[in-house]
Amino acid sequence: MRITRYPGLSAFTLSALLALAVMLWNYVADVGIAGTGGAALALFGTFALTAAGILLVMTRLPGWARVTFKVLIALGLIGTSLAAFFLHAWIVLALLIVATVAFVISLIL
Amino acid sequence: MPLLRTLLLTAALPLSAAAQTSTDWTGFHGNLAAQKFSPLTQITPENVTSLERAWELHTGDLSLGDGDLPKTIWSATPIYANETLYLGTPFYRILAIDPSTGEEKWSFDTDSTLEALTQPGLKNRGVTYWEAEEQTGRICDKAVYIGTMDARLFAVDANNGVPCEEFADGGQLDVNQWNTTNDKWPLSLLQPPTAYGDQLFVGWAGKDWEYAEAPAGTVFSIDARTGELQWTVEFIPSEIRAKTGTANIWTAMTVDEERGILYLPVSSPSPNYWGGNRTQDIPLATSVTAVDTETGEIIWSRQLVHHDIWDYDTNAAPTLVDLTVEGEKVPALVQTSKQGMLYVLNRETGEPIFDWEERVVPASTAMGEKASPTQPFVTTPEPPNASMEWPGVWGFADLMSFGYCSRKAAELDYQGLFTPPSEQGSLIWPGTAGGMQWGGGAVNPETGIYYVNTSHVVQILELFPREEYDKAAGGSANESGFYPQTGSPYGFELTQFVTPTLGIPCWKPPFGALLAYDMNTGEKLWEEPFGAVQQWGFYMPESWGSPTIGGPALTASGLLFIGASMDDRVRAIDAETGKVLWSDLLEAPVVANPAVFEHEGEQYVVFVSGGNTILKPEVSDQVVAYRLPR
């Protein structure tokens, strides 16, 4: 099982997926930010993080590609968390913090 | 004891519009003195955090402007009277609502045209409630009125929404019948009339940016039961009425019930930003003017801007309060302004209570223009805009725009407050969307402590000679864009001074503040940044504040309730300190004052979340009522 092989990345991916789901709801229905450019940006960010996580967990990538994706994930986490902070999307931000912890664990393990 | 209290109040209710119980909210600003003050004390600084939504409704009268209809811009204050909450909508309908449940009792549709005839959207600021001084038992002893964009005033019975047949033509008065000079557009009735005794005082709105020659400002007193015209006040001298116009009253008015005086906040003449067609004195323009309610005769008038070429309309009803100044009781009024100054006048004489001086201001370089050599300045109370100088270039915005802000500021003409519009482009501080807007301030009549929100907005105004304008003109929005001033040698463009790509304000924050003054001395008690700016959904830090439209309501328990900011929030503020105690997120900015009232023993605070495109594009049709948990 690749999921058990990459517990940190798997937890990261699951958190990012949940953040994506909440952000999708925020984009559609959340009073204050629904339909805004900022919400769209955060939605894209959570989608990209989820996609990158799935890619890393589910596929065999060459070493340089894995490193590249991990750098992009780090940047994505910072940018998307900042967006969630300024959108006052607190649940998304909390999930991204969990994702960040899981991602750091994946780097250590 | 709430039931007993209600019964006692009801028994004591005189048959007079002027004597409604003070726990009601019978007008746009709560009472005729425009104090926005409620004596209620049920909701306090201690329990306000437990405030909850009693009900919420959507009127359905909403247009986002993406279809056939113009966008709705809804700045209504709900009216509580006759045990009912009355709302006017931007589709020009009256809704009568059960205050405890939010359920509709009845509605009335004017079937008015939904065209933006004079404004950049479908606007409404609510309705007027009136009770006959003599209750006859006939229909329409209690009535509700709503005006329309196409200048018709409708009257319906307050109990059931049936048209008042006695009122004008079957319940409908065509106010445009009195539009006799330069009738280029209808006299739009967006602000509800002011009811006093058996009179309705009717002002109107237009578009003073469109034409040099425009309808000349008037206020009509009409019989509340019959619609018959009683008197008219005119604000442009008759000999120049044909070549200029407006100086109208488009906002609420104030009445001193004890003295029988009506106070009128008079706007600027047309066109907005060039006055070569009106170089003669127009002493009543951009003024606060007191008239006799019985005759319409002018008692006194105080001009706040001479030869106004900045669109500094006097835009809010003055607030009446009795002050104790140096040991003497003084009947006063406090007049807010777009130009950022607070004028405190003796309301019997119009004389300033604190300092007032004429200062030399810059001359104009525009063709045919003769700017006034001096303008009035007051320094007590200290103006809310902190200083008469613009805040200066914001380093952060300058950095983010690669120096655009500082380069642009250096290009513009700026010589302080009252820098005239120019072909070069003038930096206007405060801009026409800045200073204080139609919500005005709130006062505790017992203490004379006065609260007001203000915007710090910098705008760029550029005059275009006619040929250039015809080539350059693009679209226009609400308080920004291109406007022709047809009939003058100049069109103009008005823009916010923001960075080109990201739209970051080029001036230093805060962008808005809330302030408290002791009006007995003019001393400022506190000033706090208020609200939060929102751009693309991102909320900026609250220490930056927000431009605001709309105003506060004050309670005797020491709470200020206010929406007004860009971030769609409504807040309860500690009147002692200015600190936010409670807030809730609505769908759009609340751009009027909330209503505070007692119904069946419970205190309610009701906000209309209508939005205004001056602040942000989002608009709504949401109404939310708050009360303490049962």
Side-chain angles (χ1 to χ4, degrees):
Chain A
M1 284 292 287
R2 300 190 69 82
I3 290 174
T4 50
R5 188 175 164 194
Y6 299 113
L9 274 179
S10 300
F12 160 79
T13 307
L14 183 63
S15 302
L17 182 65
L18 288 172
L20 171 64
V22 176
M23 199 59 231
L24 186 63
W25 182 85
N26 284 345
Y27 183 79
V28 173
D30 191 20
V31 168
I33 60 171
T36 61
L41 189 70
L43 186 63
F44 174 76
T46 51
F47 170 77
L49 289 170
T50 307
I54 290 171
L55 212 63
L56 287 177
V57 172
M58 305 300 283
T59 61
R60 289 177 186 280
L61 293 171
W64 64 267
R66 294 188 77 81
V67 170
T68 305
F69 268 106
K70 285 180 179 176
V71 170
L72 290 175
I73 284 172
L75 293 173
L77 277 168
I78 293 167
T80 312
S81 298
L82 273 175
F85 175 79
F86 284 112
L87 289 167
H88 293 187
W90 307 122
I91 298 173
V92 174
L93 182 61
L95 288 165
L96 288 174
I97 289 170
V98 172
T100 304
V101 171
F103 181 66
V104 171
I105 289 170
S106 79
L107 294 178
I108 296 167
L109 291 179
Chain B
M1 299 295 283
L3 179 61
L4 177 61
R5 197 162 141 207
T6 306
L7 286 171
L8 287 171
L9 284 172
T10 308
L13 186 70
L15 302 177
S16 156
Q20 288 134 347
T21 56
S22 59
T23 55
D24 289 357
W25 197 267
T26 54
F28 187 72
H29 287 323
N31 59 17
L32 284 169
Q35 292 171 328
K36 301 117 201 170
F37 177 78
S38 168
L40 295 170
T41 56
Q42 199 175 84
I43 304 171
T44 66
E46 289 72 35
N47 66 20
V48 71
T49 51
S50 59
L51 214 54
E52 59 184 29
R53 290 189 185 195
W55 50 263
E56 174 184 351
L57 68 84
H58 289 84
T59 67
D61 291 1
L62 175 69
S63 167
L64 304 179
D66 48 5
D68 293 337
L69 294 179
K71 188 172 261 192
T72 48
I73 298 171
W74 193 24
S75 320
T77 296
I79 302 299
Y80 175 77
N82 194 32
E83 302 288 311
T84 304
L85 198 67
Y86 297 102
L87 291 165
T89 79
F91 285 4
Y92 308 106
R93 290 195 309 138
I94 304 173
L95 303 179
I97 305 293
D98 181 326
S100 57
T101 64
E103 286 172 16
E104 187 178 301
K105 289 182 170 182
W106 54 260
S107 66
F108 172 77
D109 193 344
T110 61
D111 291 319
S112 173
T113 178
L114 299 181
E115 291 178 74
L117 298 173
T118 59
Q119 299 289 313
L122 298 174
K123 288 188 180 179
N124 167 271
R125 294 209 182 91
V127 296
T128 301
Y129 175 80
W130 168 79
E131 288 182 12
E133 290 197 315
E134 187 185 345
Q135 294 284 296
T136 61
R138 288 180 294 170
I139 191 171
C140 292
D141 274 353
K142 298 175 182 176
V144 181
Y145 303 84
I146 189 169
T148 65
M149 182 81 85
D150 60 355
R152 291 177 300 154
L153 182 65
F154 289 81
V156 300
D157 187 285
N159 290 320
N160 52 30
V162 172
C164 299
E165 290 296 328
E166 272 186 81
F167 183 78
D169 185 10
Q172 176 182 163
L173 175 68
D174 177 12
V175 172
N176 217 39
Q177 65 182 292
W178 302 315
N179 187 2
T180 53
T181 309
N182 303 330
D183 59 339
K184 292 193 163 61
W185 30 260
L187 309 182
S188 292
L189 305 177
L190 310 177
Q191 177 72 42
T194 299
Y196 167 66
D198 285 343
Q199 292 171 275
L200 295 178
F201 305 121
V202 182
W204 46 264
K207 42 180 177 179
D208 41 12
W209 49 85
E210 193 81 20
Y211 302 102
E213 298 159 2
T218 42
V219 163
F220 309 110
S221 173
I222 61 172
D223 185 298
R225 193 180 283 282
T226 65
E228 193 179 324
L229 182 65
Q230 296 166 323
W231 50 253
T232 304
V233 191
E234 296 174 318
F235 303 97
I236 302 282
S238 56
E239 61 274 17
I240 60 168
R241 213 166 281 159
K243 61 179 183 176
T244 176
T246 71
N248 53 321
I249 285 86
W250 55 260
T251 186
M253 308 171 204
T254 309
V255 179
D256 183 335
E257 298 177 77
E258 186 187 338
R259 293 170 177 80
I261 300 176
L262 172 69
Y263 298 95
L264 304 172
V266 187
S267 75
S268 61
S270 65
N272 274 340
Y273 297 107
W274 182 79
N277 62 331
R278 47 180 172 87
T279 51
Q280 301 90 335
D281 279 347
I282 309 178
L284 300 181
T286 316
S287 72
V288 54
T289 294
V291 304
D292 186 317
T293 53
E294 281 190 21
T295 63
E297 282 177 25
I298 292 168
I299 299 169
W300 58 259
S301 179
R302 181 151 292 263
Q303 190 162 57
L304 308 179
V305 178
H306 308 314
H307 188 69
D308 189 345
I309 45 176
W310 299 272
D311 191 24
Y312 283 153
D313 297 347
T314 312
N315 62 357
T319 297
L320 310 189
V321 61
D322 292 335
L323 302 176
T324 305
V325 181
E326 294 176 350
E328 282 188 31
K329 283 275 178 199
V330 182
L333 67 78
V334 184
Q335 179 65 63
T336 54
S337 70
K338 285 186 181 183
Q339 58 271 25
M341 285 182 268
L342 283 166
Y343 304 93
V344 185
L345 307 177
N346 182 313
R347 69 174 182 268
E348 284 183 339
T349 64
E351 288 302 311
I353 290 173
F354 300 113
D355 57 348
W356 180 289
E357 60 176 314
E358 291 284 332
R359 290 188 195 166
V360 173
V361 291
S364 171
T365 56
M367 283 181 283
E369 183 60 276
K370 287 181 188 169
S372 172
T374 65
Q375 292 289 355
F377 282 75
V378 295
T379 52
T380 307
E382 182 188 330
N385 277 340
S387 93
M388 292 287 97
E389 289 296 316
W390 84 291
V393 169
W394 188 20
F396 171 70
D398 208 30
L399 186 71
M400 296 298 285
S401 64
F402 305 104
Y404 164 84
C405 294
S406 49
R407 283 196 306 275
K408 188 69 183 176
E411 281 173 19
L412 297 169
D413 181 24
Y414 176 68
Q415 303 171 64
L417 183 61
F418 300 115
T419 298
S422 63
E423 293 182 41
Q424 174 189 347
S426 297
L427 188 151
I428 305 293
W429 164 261
T432 182
M436 290 154 277
Q437 297 290 327
W438 56 80
V443 73
N444 183 328
E446 300 299 321
T447 63
I449 309 296
Y450 180 86
Y451 305 88
V452 69
N453 52 300
T454 184
S455 301
H456 303 179
V457 175
V458 182
Q459 289 176 299
I460 298 171
L461 183 68
E462 188 173 352
L463 295 177
F464 288 84
R466 182 59 52 203
E467 278 187 15
E468 284 181 38
Y469 178 84
D470 292 341
K471 289 178 198 160
S476 63
N478 198 1
E479 301 281 345
S480 64
F482 287 89
Y483 297 93
Q485 301 191 126
T486 304
S488 82
Y490 292 108
F492 71 89
E493 185 188 14
L494 183 66
T495 53
Q496 316 290 348
F497 187 17
V498 296
T499 63
T501 311
L502 296 172
I504 303 169
C506 277
W507 64 98
K508 292 174 190 164
F511 307 118
L514 187 64
L515 303 95
Y517 291 89
D518 181 349
M519 281 300 174
N520 298 293
T521 60
E523 181 194 1
K524 186 162 75 180
L525 301 176
W526 51 258
E527 177 171 3
E528 292 286 335
F530 177 74
V533 169
Q534 195 180 18
Q535 176 79 321
W536 302 317
F538 297 127
Y539 296 97
M540 300 298 121
E542 295 211 354
S543 60
W544 292 3
S546 162
T548 54
I549 296 179
L554 175 67
T555 70
S557 60
L559 286 171
L560 280 164
F561 289 98
I562 181 170
S565 68
M566 265 181 90
D567 60 3
D568 306 343
R569 283 200 171 271
V570 294
R571 293 173 168 86
I573 311 286
D574 185 337
E576 281 282 321
T577 63
K579 302 299 177 197
V580 177
L581 298 176
W582 165 90
S583 75
D584 192 23
L585 185 63
L586 305 189
E587 293 177 0
V590 172
V591 290
N593 305 77
V596 180
F597 58 88
E598 185 180 76
H599 179 71
E600 295 176 350
E602 290 178 293
Q603 183 178 345
Y604 288 80
V605 183
V606 182
F607 291 91
V608 164
S609 168
N612 190 306
T613 48
I614 294 174
L615 285 179
K616 62 193 292 195
E618 287 77 20
V619 294
S620 175
D621 62 345
Q622 184 189 31
V623 185
V624 181
Y626 298 92
R627 69 180 168 219
L628 293 172
R630 284 175 164 163

